[in-house]
Amino acid sequence: MGCFHSKVAREFRGHEDPVKLASETAFSVSEVEALFELFKSISSSVVDDGLINKEEFQLALFKSRKRENIFANRIFDMFDVKRKGVIDFGDFVRSLNVFHPNASLEDKIDFTFRLYDMDCTGYIERQEVKQMLIALLCESEMKLADETIEIILDKTFEDADVNQDGNIDKLEWSDFVNKNPSLLKIMTLPYLRDITTTFPSFVFNSEVDEIAT
Amino acid sequence: MAGYLPFDEPNLMTLYKRICKAEFSCPSWFSPGAKEVIKRILDPSPITRISIAELLEDEWFKQGYKPPSFGQDDEDITIDDVDAAFSNSKESLVTEKKAKPESMNAFELISSSNSLENLFEKQAQLVKKETRFTSQRPASEIMSKMEETAKPLGFNVRKDKYKIKMKGDKSGRKGQLSVATEVFEVAPSLHVVELRKTGGDTLEFHKFYKNFSSGLKDVVWNTDGAPEEHKA
């Protein structure tokens, strides 16, 4: 089916092959194609260059260019795997993969650890958590006395920082999450299960055997 | 049912011709009831074609048919406990009044109003399915105030320790509105109350929350911008 192949090739030119991406992630080829529809709309919203920049990411998340928050910035940085300041399609799919309901617990735990380890030292420091907390409270316009914030941090670190060295390391984090599974709530997007219906793609990849998930 | 299409032609024009003339045949193993319904569905004339209302009344169609129920939304891990709490549990040893609310740590606070879900929404989410407020009142006071406020709004209330399940008695656009709430302790004398729509229409949840939170004025310290959209 010559004309079919060139249609697929044309569609994905300049981007990673959906079949390859599907083989490396929990997504099926049709799901990767559906993600491409989403990617296309986000990456063309400000600059139509096939890449998602910071502004486009914010726009997609908050539906407003002006809003940003420390959490979203961190997520952008993590999706920007190659540190280019932009997210390409491969980065997009691989990063979203961790949020798939079928992704491994280990990957989710690892992602959250790196999320909170803002300066990438390999430890979640108290100061980092304080920063994120203050930023969140600021945004929700909840003012808490510094004393109260310290109390919240004290309690959290008492629970999580087992060796009481003022930092949470990978292992301590892992144990902490296992005791508090709600910490991983943000790491699963049930939307990903219905992605092919939300973003129908008209590139029919009839060559690939689809196993219904 | 048949294992093949009623109209299957290699050529589009021929295909359309057959559809317009309703030129199809049902396999011999189809029951008369099935054949009849299919004939009426594949009727080329929209005037005589069976309507949805009529279809729902068809004898053959009704066999084993379960009408859709507007089920509960996926409940997240935190509020999932509500179901467990209301099921047959033998936790009668601890008196409810003495137990403390679940505590919420710094990370839970940080991540509580952040989610990537919005990436998948095509338009601004004017109304969210969950919200939260903080309170400096004692947990037991928050609980009783919430119960007091929900009842006159026409909600049936079921309490368990520091969780409440509320169900509206009126059936709205998507069935009855049901809301799950839980009180968490963030620090001594600082509580966060989470509310989540577990069934029904989101716009109705928004309306409910407006009334509910104004009734809770004395208890609410800060509300998370309500389920309304953030100020850009």
Side-chain angles (χ1 to χ4, degrees), chain B residues 101-156:
Chain B
E102 290 284 324
S103 61
M104 190 183 253
N105 60 53
F107 297 102
E108 283 159 335
L109 248 187
I110 292 169
S111 60
S112 62
S113 45
N114 280 300
S115 167
L116 282 184
E117 284 179 351
N118 234 12
L119 271 183
F120 302 90
E121 300 291 339
K122 290 174 183 166
Q123 293 154 319
Q125 269 265 282
L126 292 169
V127 178
K128 293 203 282 193
K129 290 185 198 149
E130 61 175 38
T131 186
R132 60 197 53 75
F133 64 84
T134 51
S135 175
Q136 295 181 308
R137 308 305 308 153
S140 48
E141 188 184 317
I142 302 172
M143 287 294 287
S144 33
K145 215 56 221 290
M146 287 205 287
E147 195 182 1
E148 250 173 58
T149 314
K151 285 189 175 151
L153 291 176
F155 280 77
N156 173 266

Short mmCIF file of all heavy atoms in Angstrom, two decimals, chain B residues 101-156:
data_model
loop_
_atom_site.label_atom_id
_atom_site.label_comp_id
_atom_site.label_asym_id
_atom_site.label_seq_id
_atom_site.Cartn_x
_atom_site.Cartn_y
_atom_site.Cartn_z
N PRO B 101 -8.29 13.54 62.76
CA PRO B 101 -8.36 13.46 61.29
C PRO B 101 -7.01 13.01 60.73
O PRO B 101 -5.98 13.14 61.39
CB PRO B 101 -8.67 14.89 60.86
CG PRO B 101 -8.51 15.75 62.04
CD PRO B 101 -8.47 14.91 63.24
N GLU B 102 -7.05 12.51 59.52
CA GLU B 102 -5.82 12.12 58.83
C GLU B 102 -4.96 13.36 58.68
O GLU B 102 -5.48 14.45 58.48
CB GLU B 102 -6.16 11.63 57.43
CG GLU B 102 -6.86 10.30 57.38
CD GLU B 102 -5.92 9.15 57.64
OE1 GLU B 102 -4.76 9.23 57.20
OE2 GLU B 102 -6.36 8.20 58.30
N SER B 103 -3.68 13.17 58.76
CA SER B 103 -2.86 14.36 58.56
C SER B 103 -2.42 14.45 57.12
O SER B 103 -2.36 13.46 56.40
CB SER B 103 -1.66 14.33 59.49
OG SER B 103 -0.88 13.21 59.20
N MET B 104 -2.17 15.67 56.71
CA MET B 104 -1.76 15.94 55.34
C MET B 104 -0.37 16.54 55.41
O MET B 104 -0.15 17.50 56.13
CB MET B 104 -2.74 16.94 54.74
CG MET B 104 -2.57 17.13 53.25
SD MET B 104 -3.69 18.38 52.63
CE MET B 104 -4.85 17.35 51.78
N ASN B 105 0.55 15.97 54.69
CA ASN B 105 1.91 16.49 54.79
C ASN B 105 2.17 17.56 53.74
O ASN B 105 1.33 17.82 52.87
CB ASN B 105 2.94 15.36 54.71
CG ASN B 105 2.85 14.59 53.42
OD1 ASN B 105 2.88 15.16 52.34
ND2 ASN B 105 2.72 13.28 53.53
N ALA B 106 3.36 18.16 53.81
CA ALA B 106 3.70 19.27 52.93
C ALA B 106 3.56 18.91 51.45
O ALA B 106 3.08 19.69 50.65
CB ALA B 106 5.10 19.75 53.23
N PHE B 107 3.98 17.69 51.10
CA PHE B 107 3.94 17.28 49.69
C PHE B 107 2.51 17.15 49.20
O PHE B 107 2.19 17.49 48.06
CB PHE B 107 4.69 15.97 49.47
CG PHE B 107 6.15 16.07 49.79
CD1 PHE B 107 6.64 15.58 50.98
CD2 PHE B 107 7.02 16.68 48.90
CE1 PHE B 107 7.98 15.68 51.29
CE2 PHE B 107 8.37 16.79 49.21
CZ PHE B 107 8.85 16.28 50.40
N GLU B 108 1.64 16.62 50.07
CA GLU B 108 0.24 16.46 49.68
C GLU B 108 -0.38 17.84 49.47
O GLU B 108 -1.15 18.05 48.55
CB GLU B 108 -0.51 15.68 50.75
CG GLU B 108 -0.22 14.19 50.67
CD GLU B 108 -0.53 13.44 51.96
OE1 GLU B 108 -0.50 14.07 53.03
OE2 GLU B 108 -0.76 12.23 51.87
N LEU B 109 0.01 18.78 50.32
CA LEU B 109 -0.49 20.14 50.18
C LEU B 109 -0.04 20.74 48.86
O LEU B 109 -0.82 21.33 48.13
CB LEU B 109 0.09 21.02 51.30
CG LEU B 109 -0.85 21.54 52.37
CD1 LEU B 109 -0.11 22.50 53.26
CD2 LEU B 109 -2.07 22.23 51.75
N ILE B 110 1.25 20.57 48.56
CA ILE B 110 1.81 21.12 47.33
C ILE B 110 1.12 20.54 46.11
O ILE B 110 0.78 21.25 45.18
CB ILE B 110 3.33 20.83 47.23
CG1 ILE B 110 4.09 21.62 48.30
CG2 ILE B 110 3.86 21.18 45.85
CD1 ILE B 110 5.54 21.18 48.44
N SER B 111 0.91 19.25 46.12
CA SER B 111 0.37 18.62 44.92
C SER B 111 -1.15 18.61 44.87
O SER B 111 -1.72 18.24 43.86
CB SER B 111 0.90 17.19 44.78
OG SER B 111 0.51 16.44 45.90
N SER B 112 -1.79 19.06 45.94
CA SER B 112 -3.24 18.92 45.99
C SER B 112 -3.97 19.72 44.92
O SER B 112 -4.98 19.28 44.43
CB SER B 112 -3.79 19.28 47.36
OG SER B 112 -3.51 20.63 47.66
N SER B 113 -3.45 20.88 44.54
CA SER B 113 -4.21 21.57 43.51
C SER B 113 -3.46 21.63 42.19
O SER B 113 -3.70 22.48 41.37
CB SER B 113 -4.60 22.96 43.99
OG SER B 113 -3.49 23.57 44.59
N ASN B 114 -2.53 20.72 42.01
CA ASN B 114 -1.77 20.71 40.76
C ASN B 114 -1.99 19.42 40.03
O ASN B 114 -1.91 18.35 40.60
CB ASN B 114 -0.28 20.86 41.05
CG ASN B 114 0.09 22.30 41.31
OD1 ASN B 114 -0.09 23.15 40.47
ND2 ASN B 114 0.60 22.56 42.50
N SER B 115 -2.27 19.51 38.77
CA SER B 115 -2.48 18.30 38.02
C SER B 115 -2.26 18.59 36.55
O SER B 115 -2.47 19.70 36.09
CB SER B 115 -3.91 17.81 38.24
OG SER B 115 -4.22 16.83 37.30
N LEU B 116 -1.81 17.60 35.84
CA LEU B 116 -1.60 17.77 34.40
C LEU B 116 -2.88 17.52 33.61
O LEU B 116 -2.87 17.58 32.39
CB LEU B 116 -0.53 16.78 33.91
CG LEU B 116 0.91 17.15 34.21
CD1 LEU B 116 1.84 16.14 33.57
CD2 LEU B 116 1.24 18.53 33.69
N GLU B 117 -3.96 17.23 34.32
CA GLU B 117 -5.20 16.90 33.62
C GLU B 117 -5.61 17.98 32.63
O GLU B 117 -6.17 17.68 31.58
CB GLU B 117 -6.34 16.72 34.64
CG GLU B 117 -6.24 15.40 35.35
CD GLU B 117 -7.34 15.20 36.36
OE1 GLU B 117 -8.08 16.16 36.65
OE2 GLU B 117 -7.43 14.08 36.86
N ASN B 118 -5.31 19.21 33.01
CA ASN B 118 -5.71 20.32 32.17
C ASN B 118 -5.15 20.30 30.76
O ASN B 118 -5.71 20.90 29.85
CB ASN B 118 -5.29 21.63 32.85
CG ASN B 118 -6.45 22.57 33.00
OD1 ASN B 118 -7.59 22.19 32.81
ND2 ASN B 118 -6.16 23.81 33.32
N LEU B 119 -4.03 19.58 30.60
CA LEU B 119 -3.42 19.47 29.27
C LEU B 119 -4.41 18.88 28.28
O LEU B 119 -4.36 19.13 27.09
CB LEU B 119 -2.21 18.52 29.31
CG LEU B 119 -0.84 19.07 29.63
CD1 LEU B 119 0.18 17.96 29.52
CD2 LEU B 119 -0.48 20.20 28.68
N PHE B 120 -5.30 18.03 28.81
CA PHE B 120 -6.22 17.31 27.96
C PHE B 120 -7.54 18.03 27.76
O PHE B 120 -8.39 17.58 27.01
CB PHE B 120 -6.45 15.90 28.52
CG PHE B 120 -5.18 15.13 28.65
CD1 PHE B 120 -4.43 15.19 29.80
CD2 PHE B 120 -4.70 14.39 27.58
CE1 PHE B 120 -3.22 14.52 29.91
CE2 PHE B 120 -3.51 13.71 27.68
CZ PHE B 120 -2.76 13.77 28.84
N GLU B 121 -7.70 19.13 28.46
CA GLU B 121 -8.94 19.87 28.31
C GLU B 121 -8.76 20.85 27.16
O GLU B 121 -7.76 21.56 27.09
CB GLU B 121 -9.25 20.68 29.58
CG GLU B 121 -9.42 19.83 30.82
CD GLU B 121 -10.68 19.00 30.79
OE1 GLU B 121 -11.60 19.35 30.04
OE2 GLU B 121 -10.73 18.00 31.52
N LYS B 122 -9.74 20.92 26.28
CA LYS B 122 -9.57 21.79 25.14
C LYS B 122 -9.86 23.25 25.48
O LYS B 122 -9.35 24.16 24.87
CB LYS B 122 -10.45 21.32 23.98
CG LYS B 122 -9.92 20.02 23.42
CD LYS B 122 -10.81 19.39 22.38
CE LYS B 122 -10.23 18.05 21.94
NZ LYS B 122 -11.17 17.24 21.18
N GLN B 123 -10.71 23.43 26.47
CA GLN B 123 -11.00 24.81 26.85
C GLN B 123 -10.66 25.00 28.31
O GLN B 123 -10.46 24.05 29.03
CB GLN B 123 -12.48 25.12 26.69
CG GLN B 123 -12.96 25.11 25.28
CD GLN B 123 -14.42 24.78 25.26
OE1 GLN B 123 -14.87 23.91 26.00
NE2 GLN B 123 -15.17 25.46 24.46
N ALA B 124 -10.65 26.25 28.73
CA ALA B 124 -10.38 26.52 30.14
C ALA B 124 -11.42 25.82 30.98
O ALA B 124 -12.61 25.88 30.70
CB ALA B 124 -10.42 28.02 30.39
N GLN B 125 -10.94 25.14 31.99
CA GLN B 125 -11.86 24.45 32.88
C GLN B 125 -12.50 25.49 33.79
O GLN B 125 -11.90 25.91 34.77
CB GLN B 125 -11.06 23.45 33.75
CG GLN B 125 -10.98 22.11 33.13
CD GLN B 125 -12.07 21.18 33.63
OE1 GLN B 125 -11.99 20.64 34.71
NE2 GLN B 125 -13.11 21.03 32.86
N LEU B 126 -13.67 25.89 33.43
CA LEU B 126 -14.32 26.93 34.23
C LEU B 126 -14.68 26.41 35.60
O LEU B 126 -14.72 27.13 36.57
CB LEU B 126 -15.57 27.43 33.51
CG LEU B 126 -15.27 28.20 32.23
CD1 LEU B 126 -16.53 28.43 31.45
CD2 LEU B 126 -14.59 29.51 32.55
N VAL B 127 -14.97 25.15 35.64
CA VAL B 127 -15.44 24.60 36.90
C VAL B 127 -14.66 23.32 37.18
O VAL B 127 -14.56 22.46 36.34
CB VAL B 127 -16.94 24.25 36.78
CG1 VAL B 127 -17.44 23.63 38.05
CG2 VAL B 127 -17.75 25.49 36.47
N LYS B 128 -14.11 23.21 38.35
CA LYS B 128 -13.34 22.02 38.69
C LYS B 128 -14.22 21.03 39.44
O LYS B 128 -15.25 21.39 39.99
CB LYS B 128 -12.13 22.40 39.53
CG LYS B 128 -11.12 23.23 38.76
CD LYS B 128 -9.74 23.12 39.36
CE LYS B 128 -9.61 23.98 40.60
NZ LYS B 128 -8.22 24.13 41.00
N LYS B 129 -13.75 19.78 39.45
CA LYS B 129 -14.52 18.76 40.14
C LYS B 129 -14.15 18.66 41.60
O LYS B 129 -14.73 17.88 42.34
CB LYS B 129 -14.25 17.39 39.50
CG LYS B 129 -14.83 17.26 38.15
CD LYS B 129 -14.64 15.85 37.63
CE LYS B 129 -14.81 15.85 36.14
NZ LYS B 129 -14.00 14.85 35.49
N GLU B 130 -13.09 19.38 41.99
CA GLU B 130 -12.74 19.30 43.40
C GLU B 130 -12.19 20.63 43.85
O GLU B 130 -11.71 21.43 43.06
CB GLU B 130 -11.72 18.20 43.64
CG GLU B 130 -10.43 18.40 42.90
CD GLU B 130 -9.40 17.36 43.28
OE1 GLU B 130 -9.78 16.19 43.48
OE2 GLU B 130 -8.23 17.72 43.38
N THR B 131 -12.29 20.86 45.11
CA THR B 131 -11.80 22.10 45.67
C THR B 131 -11.45 21.88 47.13
O THR B 131 -11.66 20.78 47.66
CB THR B 131 -12.87 23.21 45.50
OG1 THR B 131 -12.30 24.45 45.94
CG2 THR B 131 -14.10 22.92 46.33
N ARG B 132 -10.92 22.91 47.75
CA ARG B 132 -10.56 22.73 49.16
C ARG B 132 -10.62 24.08 49.86
O ARG B 132 -10.60 25.14 49.23
CB ARG B 132 -9.15 22.15 49.30
CG ARG B 132 -8.08 23.03 48.68
CD ARG B 132 -6.81 22.25 48.47
NE ARG B 132 -7.01 21.03 47.71
CZ ARG B 132 -7.23 20.97 46.40
NH1 ARG B 132 -7.27 22.08 45.71
NH2 ARG B 132 -7.40 19.82 45.79
N PHE B 133 -10.73 24.03 51.15
CA PHE B 133 -10.62 25.26 51.94
C PHE B 133 -9.87 24.94 53.22
O PHE B 133 -9.77 23.78 53.63
CB PHE B 133 -11.98 25.90 52.20
CG PHE B 133 -12.94 25.09 53.05
CD1 PHE B 133 -12.88 25.12 54.44
CD2 PHE B 133 -13.92 24.31 52.45
CE1 PHE B 133 -13.77 24.38 55.22
CE2 PHE B 133 -14.81 23.57 53.22
CZ PHE B 133 -14.74 23.61 54.61
N THR B 134 -9.34 25.98 53.84
CA THR B 134 -8.64 25.77 55.11
C THR B 134 -9.52 26.31 56.23
O THR B 134 -10.37 27.18 56.02
CB THR B 134 -7.30 26.50 55.17
OG1 THR B 134 -7.52 27.87 54.81
CG2 THR B 134 -6.30 25.90 54.21
N SER B 135 -9.26 25.78 57.40
CA SER B 135 -10.02 26.24 58.54
C SER B 135 -9.15 26.19 59.78
O SER B 135 -8.30 25.30 59.91
CB SER B 135 -11.25 25.37 58.73
OG SER B 135 -11.93 25.75 59.91
N GLN B 136 -9.36 27.15 60.66
CA GLN B 136 -8.61 27.13 61.92
C GLN B 136 -9.46 26.60 63.06
O GLN B 136 -9.01 26.56 64.20
CB GLN B 136 -8.10 28.54 62.24
CG GLN B 136 -7.08 29.01 61.21
CD GLN B 136 -6.55 30.39 61.53
OE1 GLN B 136 -7.31 31.33 61.75
NE2 GLN B 136 -5.25 30.52 61.55
N ARG B 137 -10.68 26.21 62.74
CA ARG B 137 -11.57 25.67 63.77
C ARG B 137 -11.22 24.21 64.03
O ARG B 137 -10.61 23.55 63.18
CB ARG B 137 -13.04 25.76 63.29
CG ARG B 137 -13.48 27.13 62.82
CD ARG B 137 -13.27 28.24 63.83
NE ARG B 137 -13.84 27.93 65.12
CZ ARG B 137 -13.39 28.42 66.29
NH1 ARG B 137 -12.37 29.22 66.31
NH2 ARG B 137 -13.99 28.11 67.42
N PRO B 138 -11.59 23.72 65.20
CA PRO B 138 -11.34 22.29 65.47
C PRO B 138 -12.09 21.38 64.50
O PRO B 138 -13.16 21.73 64.02
CB PRO B 138 -11.88 22.07 66.89
CG PRO B 138 -12.27 23.38 67.41
CD PRO B 138 -12.22 24.40 66.32
N ALA B 139 -11.50 20.24 64.23
CA ALA B 139 -12.05 19.32 63.24
C ALA B 139 -13.50 18.93 63.52
O ALA B 139 -14.33 18.87 62.60
CB ALA B 139 -11.17 18.09 63.13
N SER B 140 -13.82 18.67 64.77
CA SER B 140 -15.18 18.23 65.08
C SER B 140 -16.18 19.35 64.79
O SER B 140 -17.31 19.09 64.35
CB SER B 140 -15.30 17.80 66.54
OG SER B 140 -14.71 18.77 67.37
N GLU B 141 -15.74 20.60 65.00
CA GLU B 141 -16.63 21.72 64.72
C GLU B 141 -16.85 21.84 63.22
O GLU B 141 -17.98 22.09 62.75
CB GLU B 141 -16.03 23.01 65.27
CG GLU B 141 -16.98 24.19 65.18
CD GLU B 141 -16.32 25.49 65.64
OE1 GLU B 141 -15.62 25.45 66.68
OE2 GLU B 141 -16.48 26.50 64.96
N ILE B 142 -15.79 21.65 62.45
CA ILE B 142 -15.90 21.71 60.99
C ILE B 142 -16.89 20.66 60.51
O ILE B 142 -17.77 20.93 59.69
CB ILE B 142 -14.54 21.46 60.30
CG1 ILE B 142 -13.49 22.48 60.77
CG2 ILE B 142 -14.68 21.54 58.78
CD1 ILE B 142 -12.09 22.18 60.28
N MET B 143 -16.77 19.48 61.06
CA MET B 143 -17.64 18.38 60.66
C MET B 143 -19.10 18.70 60.94
O MET B 143 -19.96 18.52 60.06
CB MET B 143 -17.27 17.09 61.42
CG MET B 143 -15.98 16.45 60.95
SD MET B 143 -16.10 15.82 59.27
CE MET B 143 -17.11 14.37 59.52
N SER B 144 -19.40 19.18 62.15
CA SER B 144 -20.81 19.42 62.46
C SER B 144 -21.35 20.60 61.66
O SER B 144 -22.49 20.57 61.20
CB SER B 144 -21.06 19.61 63.96
OG SER B 144 -20.01 20.23 64.59
N LYS B 145 -20.51 21.61 61.44
CA LYS B 145 -20.97 22.76 60.64
C LYS B 145 -21.29 22.33 59.22
O LYS B 145 -22.25 22.80 58.62
CB LYS B 145 -19.88 23.84 60.66
CG LYS B 145 -20.34 25.30 60.68
CD LYS B 145 -21.26 25.66 61.82
CE LYS B 145 -22.40 26.58 61.38
NZ LYS B 145 -22.13 27.93 61.02
N MET B 146 -20.48 21.42 58.67
CA MET B 146 -20.71 20.97 57.29
C MET B 146 -22.01 20.18 57.20
O MET B 146 -22.79 20.36 56.27
CB MET B 146 -19.54 20.11 56.79
CG MET B 146 -18.29 20.91 56.50
SD MET B 146 -17.20 20.11 55.28
CE MET B 146 -16.53 18.79 56.26
N GLU B 147 -22.25 19.37 58.21
CA GLU B 147 -23.47 18.57 58.23
C GLU B 147 -24.69 19.49 58.31
O GLU B 147 -25.64 19.35 57.55
CB GLU B 147 -23.43 17.64 59.44
CG GLU B 147 -24.45 16.54 59.36
CD GLU B 147 -24.43 15.65 60.60
OE1 GLU B 147 -23.61 15.92 61.51
OE2 GLU B 147 -25.22 14.71 60.63
N GLU B 148 -24.59 20.46 59.21
CA GLU B 148 -25.67 21.43 59.42
C GLU B 148 -25.97 22.21 58.15
O GLU B 148 -27.11 22.55 57.89
CB GLU B 148 -25.18 22.47 60.42
CG GLU B 148 -25.83 22.45 61.77
CD GLU B 148 -25.09 23.44 62.66
OE1 GLU B 148 -25.04 24.63 62.28
OE2 GLU B 148 -24.56 23.00 63.69
N THR B 149 -24.93 22.55 57.40
CA THR B 149 -25.11 23.36 56.21
C THR B 149 -25.63 22.55 55.03
O THR B 149 -26.40 23.04 54.21
CB THR B 149 -23.78 24.03 55.81
OG1 THR B 149 -23.18 24.59 56.97
CG2 THR B 149 -23.99 25.12 54.78
N ALA B 150 -25.20 21.30 54.94
CA ALA B 150 -25.58 20.48 53.78
C ALA B 150 -27.04 20.07 53.82
O ALA B 150 -27.72 20.02 52.79
CB ALA B 150 -24.69 19.25 53.71
N LYS B 151 -27.54 19.76 55.02
CA LYS B 151 -28.90 19.24 55.11
C LYS B 151 -29.97 20.18 54.54
O LYS B 151 -30.75 19.75 53.69
CB LYS B 151 -29.22 18.83 56.55
CG LYS B 151 -28.56 17.52 56.94
CD LYS B 151 -29.04 17.01 58.28
CE LYS B 151 -28.44 15.64 58.56
NZ LYS B 151 -28.27 15.40 59.99
N PRO B 152 -30.01 21.45 54.98
CA PRO B 152 -31.04 22.33 54.40
C PRO B 152 -30.88 22.55 52.90
O PRO B 152 -31.82 22.97 52.23
CB PRO B 152 -30.87 23.65 55.17
CG PRO B 152 -29.62 23.54 55.93
CD PRO B 152 -29.25 22.12 56.05
N LEU B 153 -29.72 22.25 52.34
CA LEU B 153 -29.53 22.40 50.89
C LEU B 153 -30.09 21.18 50.16
O LEU B 153 -29.95 21.06 48.95
CB LEU B 153 -28.03 22.56 50.56
CG LEU B 153 -27.38 23.87 50.99
CD1 LEU B 153 -25.89 23.84 50.69
CD2 LEU B 153 -28.01 25.06 50.28
N GLY B 154 -30.69 20.29 50.92
CA GLY B 154 -31.32 19.12 50.32
C GLY B 154 -30.37 17.96 50.13
O GLY B 154 -30.47 17.22 49.16
N PHE B 155 -29.42 17.84 51.04
CA PHE B 155 -28.46 16.75 50.89
C PHE B 155 -28.58 15.76 52.03
O PHE B 155 -28.69 16.12 53.18
CB PHE B 155 -27.03 17.30 50.84
CG PHE B 155 -26.68 17.82 49.48
CD1 PHE B 155 -27.14 19.05 49.07
CD2 PHE B 155 -25.91 17.05 48.62
CE1 PHE B 155 -26.85 19.52 47.81
CE2 PHE B 155 -25.60 17.52 47.35
CZ PHE B 155 -26.07 18.75 46.94
N ASN B 156 -28.49 14.51 51.63
CA ASN B 156 -28.48 13.44 52.60
C ASN B 156 -27.03 13.23 53.02
O ASN B 156 -26.13 13.16 52.19
CB ASN B 156 -29.03 12.19 51.89
CG ASN B 156 -28.91 10.97 52.76
OD1 ASN B 156 -27.93 10.24 52.67
ND2 ASN B 156 -29.89 10.78 53.62
#
